[in-house]
Amino acid sequence: MGHKAGFVSIIGKPNAGKSTLMNALVGEKMSIITPKAQTTRHRILGIVNTDEYQIVFSDTPGIIKPHYELHERMMHQVEGSIEDADMILLVTDIYEEYDEEDVIKKLAGSQAPLLVLVNKIDQSDEEAVKKKIEYWQEKLKPKAVFAISALHDHNVISVMNFVIEHLPEHPPYYEKDALTDRNDRFFASEMIRAQILKQYKKEIPYSAEVIVTAFVEGEKLHRISAEIIVERDSQKNIIIGEGGKMLKIVGTYARRDMEDFFQKKIFLEMFVKVIPDWRSKKNYLKKFGYE
């Protein structure tokens, strides 16, 4: 048997548990996870290597109807991951109301084998799970349907084994020591953005972008500078908080996450900058990495 390799795209609606599943499959914290929807904005690759195979998983933004140019760019990333895929994992969950037409439309025309994963079964009962499985078998006629709990690692190994079994024979696409296509700056910015999602309510997290402007690696200490971009002065004031209190909280938790991730001491400085309506401006979106 020759070496196997392939691209496996994880798609679905916001908050279905795609990022939790990706991290469970890869065994590394590649994607940020928060209770808020639309946490993932970029397609992120997580690569699993052995001597026999290489699996390139793609975590993708949740499928939504676009309201901004930013959303359009996010949906292009989903479409690109479907086109590239050797296999597609459609993550739905036990709360899904049979209104996945946006997701199903994206799958139209794809020839890649499809797995449907009914997630969050730990929050349901056997009868409801059985109905969901029957619905998806009838609706999409996928290669398989798995009932899983990505959060509790239930049945994740079965999904992994199925993926390995059905990978095409192919040489590796990436170096065998590669874990992702993203650099350290990206993960630093995502850790700050994760704290913005956790610490602020309403529109603030969705109006914010994080850009790492400097990343200086040292033997014992990394020095990182970042800009938090928002759309209005009022949002800037909320991000900073009275006497800088909120920004300090974000910085403290983000720095701890970075020290855990990079296994180095971190010096982190952050600034808040207003760019009106950045989510609809193509030049800024390109600059921020939304190609």
Side-chain angles (χ1 to χ4, degrees), residues 100-276:
E100 298 262 11
E101 288 310 312
D102 289 350
V103 178
I104 292 165
K105 265 185 210 166
K106 295 264 187 241
L107 290 169
S110 171
Q111 300 301 309
L114 174 68
L115 271 71
V116 175
L117 310 182
V118 179
N119 193 21
K120 305 182 186 177
I121 61 164
D122 52 298
Q123 299 170 27
S124 187
D125 59 69
E126 197 174 335
E127 187 58 35
V129 172
K130 192 178 167 201
K131 279 183 182 170
K132 290 284 180 194
I133 290 170
E134 286 170 356
Y135 170 79
W136 286 112
Q137 282 170 334
E138 179 64 30
K139 181 80 177 174
L140 289 178
K141 299 186 171 43
K143 280 268 184 193
V145 181
F146 287 91
I148 68 166
S149 170
L151 185 64
H152 298 289
D153 250 358
H154 176 75
N155 233 9
V156 172
I157 194 71
S158 301
V159 174
M160 189 67 160
N161 289 338
F162 189 96
V163 169
I164 293 164
E165 188 183 336
H166 292 85
L167 276 180
E169 282 197 30
H170 199 281
Y173 290 95
Y174 293 87
E175 295 293 331
K176 280 290 194 160
D177 58 356
L179 290 174
T180 183
D181 62 329
R182 297 289 180 172
N183 60 23
D184 287 348
R185 280 178 178 244
F186 174 81
F187 287 109
S189 70
E190 285 289 272
M191 284 177 240
I192 297 168
R193 199 166 65 82
Q195 289 307 321
I196 293 169
L197 281 153
K198 285 175 183 171
Q199 304 299 336
Y200 302 95
K201 293 175 182 170
K202 297 182 181 171
E203 177 64 9
I204 294 291
Y206 302 107
S207 302
E209 182 59 76
V210 179
I211 306 299
V212 170
T213 53
F215 193 113
V216 181
E217 294 184 31
E219 202 171 312
K220 295 182 179 175
L221 176 81
H222 289 353
R223 293 181 177 274
I224 299 170
S225 297
E227 286 181 351
I228 298 172
I229 313 292
V230 290
E231 294 187 313
R232 297 193 295 275
D233 285 322
S234 58
Q235 293 168 344
K236 178 178 178 177
N237 295 335
I238 293 167
I239 289 277
I240 293 170
E242 192 177 339
K245 182 183 170 187
M246 285 305 297
L247 192 61
K248 189 173 181 184
I249 289 170
V250 169
T252 298
Y253 284 110
R255 182 173 49 76
R256 284 180 193 168
D257 287 345
M258 288 178 201
E259 288 181 342
D260 187 46
F261 187 84
F262 296 119
Q263 293 294 294
K264 294 276 169 73
K265 283 286 181 191
I266 301 291
F267 173 81
L268 175 63
E269 58 179 358
M270 298 186 300
F271 306 92
V272 186
K273 184 176 175 181
V274 177
I275 299 177

